[in-house]
Amino acid sequence: MRRATCVTTCATAVLLLLGLLGLPRPVAAQGDLSIGATVPITSPYALSGRSYYNTLQMAEKDINAQGGIKGRKVKIVFEDTSNSNTIAVNAFKKVMDTVKSPFLFLNSYTVQNLAVEPEVARAKVPVMYAGGGVAVAERGNAWMFRIRPNDEVAAKGAAQFVAKSLKLKRVGLMGVEGDFGQGGMKVAAEVLKQLGVEAVGQEVYRAADKDMSAQLLSLKNKGAEAIVVFTYVAEPPIIFRQRRQLNLGIPLIGSSATCLPAATNVMTPQDMEGTYCFTDSLLVGNPDPKVHAWAERYQKEFNFPPDVYGVAYYDGMFILKQAIEKAGLEPQAIRDAIAATKDYKGIGATFSFDQRGEGVHQVVVVKPKPGTKDYELLETVRSAQ
């Protein structure tokens, strides 16, 4: 009896000590394998958050149908981050305190990922995220892995398309206030200069703004032959509509949010005429049978087209599955296995993680087919170019 009591007491003391030191606690060896996901389920941020909320549930269902991970069923535990950095930090802490997950998914909003990053470093638990802001990787947090192209890759793709395919010489830049929009414009301006294209101006707007006509007109009046925009998902319908109403008569080249179904669903084909989008991949209409079948399944299950944010999390879940099956459930071992992942071909991209935790190194440029809201692939731009 005394021995059993000692074992119980000592085990409790070890767990308490780990918690006080901020070290990850061991994951229970029995029952469901709980994986945390802190995503925006409410607020305007849910326009993109809902897609990876859906696809993580798809991945959970598919993995469990295959027998789970190492014989254990997977259970995704969601916490809402809304549109608040404070809520995002608290959501991360709550999952760490209550679920003891050996791994977490963060969301696609750079501002929230920057806020949560110090907590990830303290927890020493690997995470995947989809926000494009370069500032996250620049923190040098070895526990964070990006599962979409960063803004440098996206901005380079847009700049190369403008210079080499559209052969323009004067371009305006426009972006949402913050690390994502302003960071993307900064990188694009640098790459455009290297390619002999002048960035005639950089216009910033706030995510809550409902009128961006002044920024559009300013760039047009400065001689812009096209406008490259870095935007969240709520603003493209406003920008596209106002561009048409102002009759600017110049192309608009938008970041991935401009061609998300959540944005294009409330646009008209007329709003989208003369626009392009630089994004991760083409899902709907992709000639690859595997991608086409996955996109059709998503559409049928959720009565809405899939997008590149959602498919990144679906692929991320299977990268995690592969890592755990190779390395086990200790967070450091999972981190190392993810970091060693090379040439993993998912539904939406091929993943090879570098020293900064960047997993995707290319973008595609797409445009709407005439008179429709359906996109077609124009070209692929790789970061090594």
Side-chain angles (χ1 to χ4, degrees):
M1 179 66 70
R2 183 175 300 171
R3 177 184 175 89
T5 302
C6 179
V7 169
T8 302
T9 304
C10 291
T12 302
V14 168
L15 290 175
L16 178 60
L17 179 60
L18 288 172
L20 291 173
L21 292 175
L23 299 176
R25 300 179 183 181
V27 178
Q30 308 263 333
D32 291 347
L33 174 57
S34 296
I35 302 297
T38 58
V39 305
I41 302 170
T42 61
S43 84
Y45 279 18
L47 288 172
S48 58
R50 180 61 58 173
S51 66
Y52 39 88
Y53 177 77
N54 291 341
T55 54
L56 283 172
Q57 291 180 88
M58 280 180 66
E60 174 188 284
K61 183 178 181 181
D62 290 350
I63 288 172
N64 288 339
Q66 297 171 13
I69 299 178
K70 295 179 77 70
R72 297 173 62 182
K73 286 191 174 183
V74 174
K75 178 177 176 56
I76 309 293
V77 179
F78 292 96
E79 281 295 329
D80 183 19
T81 65
S82 188
N83 59 348
S84 162
N85 290 359
T86 300
I87 294 175
V89 171
N90 289 337
F92 179 86
K93 290 179 177 179
K94 182 177 180 180
V95 171
M96 287 304 304
D97 288 343
T98 61
V99 179
K100 313 299 186 293
S101 176
F103 174 95
L104 277 86
F105 286 98
L106 304 185
N107 64 42
S108 64
Y109 288 92
T110 296
V111 291
Q112 293 194 356
N113 292 332
L114 286 170
V116 174
E117 182 273 330
E119 298 299 329
V120 175
R122 277 190 282 270
K124 293 182 171 59
V125 169
V127 303
M128 291 182 194
Y129 66 102
V134 178
V136 180
E138 289 177 341
R139 294 276 181 91
N141 190 331
W143 297 93
M144 299 187 71
F145 297 92
R146 194 191 318 259
I147 48 177
R148 292 190 58 245
N150 70 27
D151 293 345
E152 287 181 345
V153 175
K156 182 176 181 179
Q160 288 193 353
F161 175 71
V162 165
K164 297 182 178 181
S165 298
L166 298 184
K167 302 187 184 305
L168 304 180
K169 292 298 182 182
R170 293 169 60 82
V171 175
L173 302 173
M174 182 171 163
V176 64
E177 183 179 54
D179 289 291
F180 165 61
Q182 290 171 277
M185 287 194 293
K186 179 182 177 182
V187 173
E190 293 169 353
V191 177
L192 286 169
K193 184 177 181 180
Q194 294 168 10
L195 296 170
V197 178
E198 179 186 0
V200 299
Q202 298 186 30
E203 294 286 342
V204 178
Y205 66 87
R206 294 173 301 173
D209 288 349
K210 301 300 180 185
D211 185 356
M212 292 77 159
S213 56
Q215 290 92 330
L216 292 167
L217 284 171
S218 174
L219 294 172
K220 169 68 173 179
N221 292 336
K222 289 176 181 175
E225 299 171 299
I227 299 174
V228 178
V229 297
F230 295 86
T231 168
Y232 292 146
V233 70
E235 308 99 68
I238 300 171
I239 296 171
F240 279 47
R241 183 178 66 253
Q242 291 178 347
R243 166 188 164 273
R244 176 177 58 81
Q245 291 170 342
L246 293 168
N247 195 27
L248 292 188
I250 58 175
L252 188 149
I253 302 99
S255 59
S256 58
T258 63
C259 53
L260 292 180
T264 61
N265 189 51
V266 291
M267 298 184 197
T268 67
Q270 292 72 33
D271 291 336
M272 296 168 63
E273 286 179 4
T275 68
Y276 304 87
C277 179
F278 50 99
T279 187
D280 312 26
S281 61
L282 179 66
L283 295 175
V284 178
N286 193 301
D288 184 325
K290 181 180 177 182
V291 179
H292 180 74
W294 186 91
E296 280 199 332
R297 179 185 161 207
Y298 183 98
Q299 171 77 49
K300 182 177 180 181
E301 190 159 338
F302 299 105
N303 196 31
F304 201 77
D307 64 42
V308 294
Y309 291 87
V311 75
Y313 286 85
Y314 184 89
D315 286 339
M317 190 65 213
F318 278 86
I319 293 172
L320 173 63
K321 177 179 185 291
Q322 175 180 274
I324 293 175
E325 288 175 342
K326 285 182 177 179
L329 284 169
E330 199 276 318
Q332 179 70 54
I334 296 173
R335 193 221 77 85
D336 294 346
I338 294 172
T341 301
K342 303 296 179 187
D343 299 320
Y344 177 91
K345 185 168 177 53
I347 301 295
T350 297
F351 298 81
S352 292
F353 290 99
D354 63 18
Q355 291 183 339
R356 297 204 315 174
E358 305 284 6
V360 182
H361 307 278
Q362 69 177 45
V363 293
V364 300
V365 181
V366 298
K367 74 170 185 178
K369 297 177 182 178
T372 76
K373 297 195 285 185
D374 299 325
Y375 282 94
E376 60 183 346
L377 178 66
L378 293 184
E379 60 183 73
T380 299
V381 183
R382 293 176 175 83
S383 59
Q385 289 181 316

